[in-house]
Amino acid sequence: MVFFTRAEELNPNPSVKIMMAHIFLARGNPTTAVQLLEKALETATSPQVRGNALFNLRNFYKDVGDQAKAKVNFAMAIKEDDTNDQAYMLLGNILKDEGQEVEAKALHARALELLESKATEDVRAILALLRVGKYTEMRQLVLDVLKSTDDYFKDAYVGNLANVATTLRQSEDGIRPAIELYQSLIEAHPNSGITFLNLAIALTQIGDLDNATLALERAVSLLPDVFDARIKYGQLLYAQNRIADSIPHFERATQLQPTAAESWAYLADAYLDTHQFEKAIV
């Protein structure tokens, strides 16, 4: 953090502020992260940098409970940089949550189209195999590509393919291919907590709660201080009537993001269900 602070003093450019914002968010301080991104927007002139700042603001506003601003900033991010496939995908998620299915579907389709247009040849080959259901061949290709990838770049490559899977998951008829891709990434790179988390979300979507629980258990072991892992594991345990087991995860979620109302509501319900009335009304 000291190095980034010094970098900003010497060269207060918006890109440094964006990097610092990610560090503050990882340390459980989304409010400061939002302030840094807002400052970045004040000085950014490049459409790509502005689009990046606006895109990140959507996620950070969500973390501080301002979904309305999140939606506006995603739309602005697309206006600044209309090649940002992740912005299309996540704005589509918001509209889907609001019941705007047709609009969401169009945004998700555009996200997948943009992602494929920018993909490398091997990623296009993986997508082609997924589309025709050749999952065994797809897994082998993923393994072969990762074996030939320098160790320094493997995490980045796995992250890129995980984004591909997440975009697929939101597209029409893409849930099964996404699950297959997540599973192939875990087979090739078993210590990626984010991949386990995304796999669990996908398995929950198709009602496979047993395997989703196993995936979330692994995600939490790898990402003990990540809010999404804790809240989703707690929710899944709660839904399976494992109320007492869910409480530590809701408690940790409230510590990680004290302004997230959802985790407080679940925690209060869990306390009530286990007759811990004094804790529920504090």
Side-chain angles (χ1 to χ4, degrees):
M1 177 62 75
V2 172
F3 294 109
F4 277 118
T5 304
R6 183 62 178 148
E8 189 189 20
E9 290 173 357
L10 294 171
N11 184 13
N13 67 66
S15 294
V16 172
K17 289 184 173 66
I18 293 171
M19 287 186 286
M20 288 179 66
H22 280 280
I23 294 174
F24 275 106
L25 185 69
R27 292 187 173 187
N29 192 342
T31 301
T32 301
V34 166
Q35 291 170 351
L36 282 164
L37 286 170
E38 288 174 338
K39 287 180 182 177
L41 275 173
E42 291 174 4
T43 55
T45 56
S46 161
Q48 286 73 28
V49 174
R50 287 183 58 80
N52 187 20
L54 287 161
F55 171 73
N56 283 291
L57 265 174
R58 181 271 172 192
N59 288 318
F60 293 7
Y61 277 137
K62 181 182 177 184
D63 290 333
V64 296
D66 197 336
Q67 185 73 352
K69 277 190 177 180
K71 182 178 176 181
V72 168
N73 274 274
F74 250 154
M76 290 173 64
I78 290 171
K79 186 176 180 180
E80 292 283 350
D81 178 11
D82 64 2
T83 66
N84 189 332
D85 54 278
Q86 292 294 296
Y88 279 98
M89 183 189 74
L90 293 170
L91 179 57
N93 292 353
I94 294 176
L95 296 183
K96 187 175 181 180
D97 290 342
E98 294 177 349
Q100 300 182 54
E101 296 285 344
V102 175
E103 294 85 349
K105 187 179 290 187
L107 287 167
H108 287 150
R110 179 59 176 154
L112 189 57
E113 179 184 325
L114 284 169
L115 184 147
E116 191 162 4
S117 72
K118 295 183 286 185
T120 57
E121 184 177 342
D122 50 293
V123 172
R124 286 199 189 98
I126 288 167
L127 282 168
L129 291 170
L130 285 168
R131 283 202 175 93
V132 295
K134 293 186 176 181
Y135 301 135
T136 301
E137 292 89 336
M138 178 275 300
R139 288 189 181 207
Q140 189 58 53
L141 179 56
V142 170
L143 287 169
D144 290 344
V145 171
L146 281 172
K147 281 180 183 176
S148 64
T149 301
D150 188 279
D151 287 345
Y152 185 79
F153 297 106
K154 275 185 182 175
D155 284 343
Y157 190 83
V158 169
N160 180 45
L161 281 178
N163 284 337
V164 171
T166 300
T167 304
L168 273 173
R169 193 181 81 222
Q170 302 296 344
S171 64
E172 192 170 9
D173 301 322
I175 186 70
R176 174 52 63 186
I179 289 171
E180 293 288 343
L181 183 49
Y182 287 135
Q183 289 173 333
S184 71
L185 290 174
I186 287 168
E187 181 182 344
H189 203 67
N191 293 319
S192 174
I194 293 296
T195 308
F196 276 104
L197 176 58
N198 281 310
L199 172 62
I201 294 169
L203 291 169
T204 301
Q205 284 181 246
I206 64 170
D208 187 352
L209 300 187
D210 289 341
N211 284 315
T213 302
L214 292 173
L216 275 170
E217 183 178 353
R218 182 69 174 138
V220 168
S221 72
L222 292 165
L223 305 169
D225 296 325
V226 170
F227 173 81
D228 280 350
R230 289 288 186 172
I231 186 68
K232 291 187 186 305
Y233 193 31
Q235 288 169 334
L236 196 53
L237 292 172
Y238 189 92
Q240 294 172 318
N241 206 33
R242 295 171 58 185
I243 311 300
D245 292 337
S246 73
I247 288 175
H249 301 289
F250 292 138
E251 288 175 335
R252 185 64 184 133
T254 61
Q255 294 165 1
L256 290 167
Q257 289 189 19
T259 58
E262 183 181 27
S263 51
W264 287 104
Y266 267 104
L267 180 57
D269 284 342
Y271 281 149
L272 289 172
D273 290 340
T274 54
H275 305 109
Q276 299 181 63
F277 301 116
E278 290 184 2
K279 287 186 177 181
I281 61 174
V282 170

